[in-house]
Amino acid sequence: MANKEPLIITDKHQMRQWSRSNRAKCKTIGLVPTMGYLHEGHLSLIQESQKHTQLTVVSIYVNPGQFSPNEDLSTYPSDFLGDIQKLKIIGGVDVVFHPQNLYDYGQNDGFRNSEREDGKMVSCVKNSGMGHETWVRVERLEKGLCGKSRPVFFRGVATIVAKLFNIVEPDVAVFGKKDYQQWRIIQRMVRDLDFGIKVIGADLVRDDDGLAKSSRNVRLSAQEREKALSINKSLFDAKFAAEKGQVDCKELRDSVVQAILEAGGKVDYAEIVDQESLEALKEIKSPAVFCVAAWFGNVRLIDNMEINV
């Protein structure tokens, strides 16, 4: 129902109580985890959740555990009141779970910008004393792609999602396929740790010009945004070429890298991997996904294209 005012819950104990009360009434619950600054991509995840469950919870929480101190935690865009208005317009969101700090256990502030492990900066979460020190790792799937340049990222993602699952206790959780590696990691975590949750991957959503929807897009200048279109254009070209019989991954990869570099971007990675195992492929003989991360200006963008030949 449009213009429905969602209940805003900030306390994790109240969130768990709400879920258990509704589950006792045989209501099914869907969870859409977000870091806020919602766009059409997020809203499509909510609509997907509503297809599968009677109640929908949207979490809005910028997770410090997935940022290293040299990353953009402090500048990550936020507009909580704007997010609530968008959720009212789309309707059907029953609860917004908006905790202040899920790493605060009443002993200290729970996180700081100087965590160190073996002398190296690790993440923005404190790991000593009475602070948080338990982490979830999906060891093989987290190593490639984004895991190469962001070594603490998926540790933080898997841990916060596990915490949200334990707090909200959903029947279904919806993740966007734009973050393809993240979606597969959460699927594997749920399988391996026997969470009784169905994880759904929702299709990537693009702007009219083809750029993948992202909260970080707002930080692109008009010129940078135009140049960043080289990512999706070259991915579409690679998909078309593969469907026409070009299955050599090196040649496809080189074409995408060249297009991004010529547009003035800096490539973090461009890899064609198996859709399930995320292992790099030499030739496309089974369902594959072409994953790309590239910098334009100070903004790191990710995109992907599933290839089924």
Side-chain angles (χ1 to χ4, degrees), residues 103-166:
Y103 299 94
D104 183 358
Y105 306 105
Q107 300 295 323
N108 51 36
D109 63 1
F111 64 88
R112 61 185 181 183
N113 288 333
S114 59
E115 180 193 350
R116 291 177 179 271
E117 185 176 281
D118 297 329
K120 298 180 180 180
M121 290 278 192
V122 181
S123 78
C124 294
V125 175
K126 188 175 179 179
N127 71 342
S128 61
M130 296 297 292
H132 187 89
E133 54 182 316
T134 303
W135 300 97
V136 178
R137 306 203 72 147
V138 181
E139 294 184 349
R140 185 177 57 78
L141 287 183
E142 73 173 29
K143 288 182 179 179
L145 303 176
C146 285
K148 290 181 181 179
S149 61
R150 305 186 72 189
V152 305
F153 179 70
F154 289 118
R155 181 190 78 164
V157 168
T159 300
I160 198 63
V161 172
K163 286 167 73 70
L164 288 170
F165 285 175
N166 284 330

Side-chain angles (χ1 to χ4, degrees), residues 123-241:
S123 78
C124 294
V125 175
K126 188 175 179 179
N127 71 342
S128 61
M130 296 297 292
H132 187 89
E133 54 182 316
T134 303
W135 300 97
V136 178
R137 306 203 72 147
V138 181
E139 294 184 349
R140 185 177 57 78
L141 287 183
E142 73 173 29
K143 288 182 179 179
L145 303 176
C146 285
K148 290 181 181 179
S149 61
R150 305 186 72 189
V152 305
F153 179 70
F154 289 118
R155 181 190 78 164
V157 168
T159 300
I160 198 63
V161 172
K163 286 167 73 70
L164 288 170
F165 285 175
N166 284 330
I167 293 167
V168 179
E169 299 181 347
D171 299 280
V172 170
V174 183
F175 293 83
K177 286 187 181 181
K178 183 180 80 71
D179 301 287
Y180 203 92
Q181 186 177 16
Q182 172 179 279
W183 167 52
R184 289 304 193 190
I185 283 173
I186 298 305
Q187 279 189 322
R188 189 63 52 85
M189 179 189 77
V190 164
R191 186 200 72 176
D192 290 354
L193 298 183
D194 290 308
F195 281 97
I197 299 168
K198 180 178 181 181
V199 177
I200 295 174
D203 289 339
L204 186 153
V205 177
R206 299 183 181 277
D207 279 320
D208 291 340
D209 58 8
L211 191 67
K213 293 277 188 182
S214 171
S215 298
R216 289 185 170 93
N217 289 353
V218 69
R219 293 169 50 199
L220 292 167
S221 68
Q223 186 178 30
E224 289 167 346
R225 183 186 177 94
E226 183 65 28
K227 292 179 177 179
L229 297 179
S230 60
I231 301 175
N232 56 283
K233 289 178 180 177
S234 61
L235 280 175
F236 275 108
D237 288 343
K239 177 181 173 70
F240 181 77

Side-chain angles (χ1 to χ4, degrees), residues 41-53:
H42 296 113
L43 302 184
S44 73
L45 304 184
I46 295 166
Q47 292 169 332
E48 184 65 30
S49 174
Q50 292 167 347
K51 296 176 184 177
H52 301 275
T53 61

Side-chain angles (χ1 to χ4, degrees), residues 62-132:
V62 180
N63 172 35
Q66 67 195 58
F67 291 84
S68 63
N70 63 344
E71 292 181 323
D72 58 351
L73 172 62
S74 63
T75 60
Y76 194 86
S78 175
D79 181 16
F80 183 69
L81 294 179
D83 289 343
I84 296 300
Q85 288 303 312
K86 291 174 184 176
L87 295 178
K88 285 176 63 177
I89 292 171
I90 191 175
V93 175
D94 299 278
V95 170
V96 172
F97 180 45
H98 183 50
Q100 181 178 2
N101 179 11
L102 287 177
Y103 299 94
D104 183 358
Y105 306 105
Q107 300 295 323
N108 51 36
D109 63 1
F111 64 88
R112 61 185 181 183
N113 288 333
S114 59
E115 180 193 350
R116 291 177 179 271
E117 185 176 281
D118 297 329
K120 298 180 180 180
M121 290 278 192
V122 181
S123 78
C124 294
V125 175
K126 188 175 179 179
N127 71 342
S128 61
M130 296 297 292
H132 187 89

Side-chain angles (χ1 to χ4, degrees), residues 15-83:
M15 182 69 253
R16 186 179 289 116
Q17 183 180 22
W18 180 92
S19 291
R20 291 183 177 179
S21 174
N22 281 284
R23 289 174 69 88
K25 301 173 186 175
C26 298
K27 300 286 188 179
T28 55
I29 299 170
L31 171 64
V32 180
T34 82
M35 295 208 301
Y37 212 74
L38 305 180
H39 51 66
E40 288 88 343
H42 296 113
L43 302 184
S44 73
L45 304 184
I46 295 166
Q47 292 169 332
E48 184 65 30
S49 174
Q50 292 167 347
K51 296 176 184 177
H52 301 275
T53 61
Q54 296 162 295
L55 302 172
T56 294
V57 176
V58 174
S59 63
I60 296 179
Y61 181 65
V62 180
N63 172 35
Q66 67 195 58
F67 291 84
S68 63
N70 63 344
E71 292 181 323
D72 58 351
L73 172 62
S74 63
T75 60
Y76 194 86
S78 175
D79 181 16
F80 183 69
L81 294 179
D83 289 343

